């Protein structure tokens, strides 16, 4: 209806097109104009708006399923190029793409799968084989992918910063010391970092315009959503809890830990790749672990870390 205020939408029952029962507006504090705005980030809604206009709720679900398939395919191709082992890559694809924690996220309207695609784009298009010989479009795509993560969910902000550091570090690795190569390398850094900085400034401005403060926690008001003490339970719970844990539903993920260890022992590019994966995944886990509802609400297992699962395929 042309705005982000949701009280009138709930009063009209606009949601009855895809949900039959009564729904109250999901918010914790009103905006600076005393209007009700959703507590949920707008990223996934912006992405799905044209899809929903064309195909409704079912079209939106199928679109997210396609995004899940895209993330899995990108991870498979990345694994294949990293290891040159088609059988291992296909086993890794099956272990991730067919697992309950990943598959159950693909057909629900949550930001996890869209974020998984963004993470894979940032990781794959900036691979070391593309650093020296690639056009600027590749780095624009990486910048946009990383910059989209905070808009999809505030919980992805630390992961986006970790991804930015990984990409910039990749660009900064030693290349032949020709002046043109150095200039090209610097332009790639400025493209990725510039897109991220502009997006971050707009993100903070968005909170300021609606809630009167640039803090991303503004939609929660005075309600404390996180506590460092919760990390003692949240982080292990997301991995091992019998109701919501990753490994409880898909024990095959244990091989991701052993695989990272073997990559580290191998040294060279595999060691660097293992560090990058661990760094980005840890940024996600350490952010969502302290949440009061670290399990991610009423849905499937390990939903809060679903956006990082494709990283574990290699």
């Amino acid at each position: 209806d042309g705005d982000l205020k949701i009280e009138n939408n709930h009063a009209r029952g606009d949601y009855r097109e895809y949900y039959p029962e009564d729904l109250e507006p999901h918010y914790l504090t009103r905006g600076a104009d005393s209007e009700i705005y959703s507590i949920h980030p707008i990223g996934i809604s912006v992405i799905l708006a044209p899809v929903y206009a064309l195909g409704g709720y079912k079209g939106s679900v199928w679109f997210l399923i396609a995004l899940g398939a895209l993330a899995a395919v990108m991870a498979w191709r990345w694994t294949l190029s990293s290891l040159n082992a088609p059988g291992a890559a296909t086993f890794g694809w099956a272990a991730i793409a067919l697992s309950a924690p990943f598959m159950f996220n693909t057909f629900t309207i949550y930001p996890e799968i869209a974020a998984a695609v963004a993470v894979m784009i940032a990781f794959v298009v900036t691979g070391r084989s593309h650093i020296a010989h690639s056009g600027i479009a590749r780095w624009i795509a990486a910048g946009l992918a990383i910059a989209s993560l905070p808009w999809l969910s505030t919980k992805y902000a630390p992961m986006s910063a970790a991804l930015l550091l990984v990409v910039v570090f990749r660009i900064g690795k030693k290349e032949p010391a020709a002046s043109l190569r150095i200039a090209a390398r610097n332009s790639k850094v400025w493209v990725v970092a510039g897109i991220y900085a502009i997006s971050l400034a707009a993100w903070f401005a968005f909170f300021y315009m609606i809630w009167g403060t640039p803090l991303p926690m503004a939609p929660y008001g005075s309600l404390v959503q996180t506590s460092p003490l919760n990390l003692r339970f949240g982080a292990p719970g997301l991995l091992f809890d019998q109701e919501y844990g990753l490994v409880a539903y898909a024990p095959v993920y244990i091989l991701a830990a052993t695989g990272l260890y073997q990559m580290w022992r191998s040294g060279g590019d595999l060691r660097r790749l293992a560090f990058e994966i661990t760094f980005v995944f840890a940024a996600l886990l350490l952010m969502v672990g302290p949440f009061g509802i670290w399990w991610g609400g009423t849905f499937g297992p390990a939903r809060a870390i679903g956006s990082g699962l494709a990283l574990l395929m290699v």
Side-chain angles (χ1 to χ4, degrees):
D1 60 357
D3 60 49
L4 298 177
K5 303 168 186 176
I6 63 171
E7 189 170 16
N8 57 339
N9 303 94
H10 282 263
R12 291 195 302 263
D14 293 347
Y15 56 84
R16 293 192 186 279
E17 186 176 346
Y18 50 84
Y19 190 80
E21 300 180 15
D22 291 336
L23 282 176
E24 294 297 321
H26 201 181
Y27 79 104
L28 292 175
T29 185
R30 289 178 179 266
D33 56 359
S34 298
E35 297 283 353
I36 294 178
Y37 297 88
S38 176
I39 194 175
H40 302 292
I42 66 171
I44 194 67
S45 299
V46 171
I47 292 172
L48 290 179
V51 180
Y52 183 77
L54 292 172
Y57 175 77
K58 289 186 177 179
S60 300
V61 170
W62 280 108
F63 178 78
L64 287 177
I65 291 173
L67 285 187
L70 176 61
V73 167
M74 292 179 67
W76 180 84
R77 291 177 62 90
W78 171 54
T79 303
L80 183 62
S81 64
S82 299
L83 305 178
N84 193 28
T90 302
F91 173 82
W93 169 85
I96 302 292
L98 303 183
S99 68
F102 185 86
M103 184 180 287
F104 285 0
N105 274 307
T106 60
F107 53 82
T108 56
I109 312 298
Y110 285 113
E112 270 67 30
I113 292 302
V117 173
V119 170
M120 291 315 303
I121 290 174
F123 245 84
V124 172
V125 305
T126 63
R128 298 186 186 282
S129 61
H130 303 303
I131 295 293
H133 307 287
S134 61
I136 204 69
R138 184 179 297 274
W139 306 97
I140 293 175
L144 291 173
I146 297 170
S148 71
L149 288 170
W151 292 95
L152 287 168
S153 178
T154 298
K155 67 189 176 188
Y156 298 143
M159 182 169 65
S160 71
L163 270 171
L164 179 68
L165 290 174
V166 166
V167 171
V168 169
F169 181 78
R170 285 176 172 181
I171 299 172
K173 292 298 290 181
K174 291 181 179 180
E175 297 178 7
S179 59
L180 288 178
R181 289 188 180 276
I182 294 174
R185 183 177 63 196
N186 290 339
S187 68
K188 295 167 186 174
V189 171
W190 282 111
V191 165
V192 176
I195 291 173
Y196 185 74
I198 292 170
S199 177
L200 212 58
W203 188 55
F204 288 125
F206 169 79
F207 291 107
Y208 181 79
M209 290 171 59
I210 293 183
W211 284 281
T213 172
L215 297 178
M217 300 305 290
Y220 298 98
S222 59
L223 182 64
V224 177
Q225 292 288 310
T226 62
S227 169
L229 294 178
N230 288 338
L231 186 62
R232 296 177 300 165
F233 311 105
L238 284 166
L239 298 176
F240 304 112
D241 182 74
Q242 68 268 29
E243 283 189 274
Y244 302 102
L246 177 71
V247 175
Y249 281 82
V252 71
Y253 280 92
I254 293 174
L255 297 181
T258 61
L260 284 170
Y261 173 70
Q262 291 297 333
M263 289 167 69
W264 181 264
R265 288 189 60 189
S266 298
D269 286 345
L270 285 179
R271 173 173 289 185
R272 285 192 292 269
L273 188 56
F275 176 81
E276 292 170 350
I277 293 169
T278 303
F279 181 56
V280 173
F281 192 84
L284 173 64
L285 183 63
L286 293 177
M287 179 62 185
V288 297
F291 273 74
I293 51 169
W294 47 264
W295 53 90
T298 58
F299 195 62
R303 179 172 75 85
I305 55 175
S307 58
L309 296 182
L311 282 176
L312 303 179
M313 189 179 297
V314 69

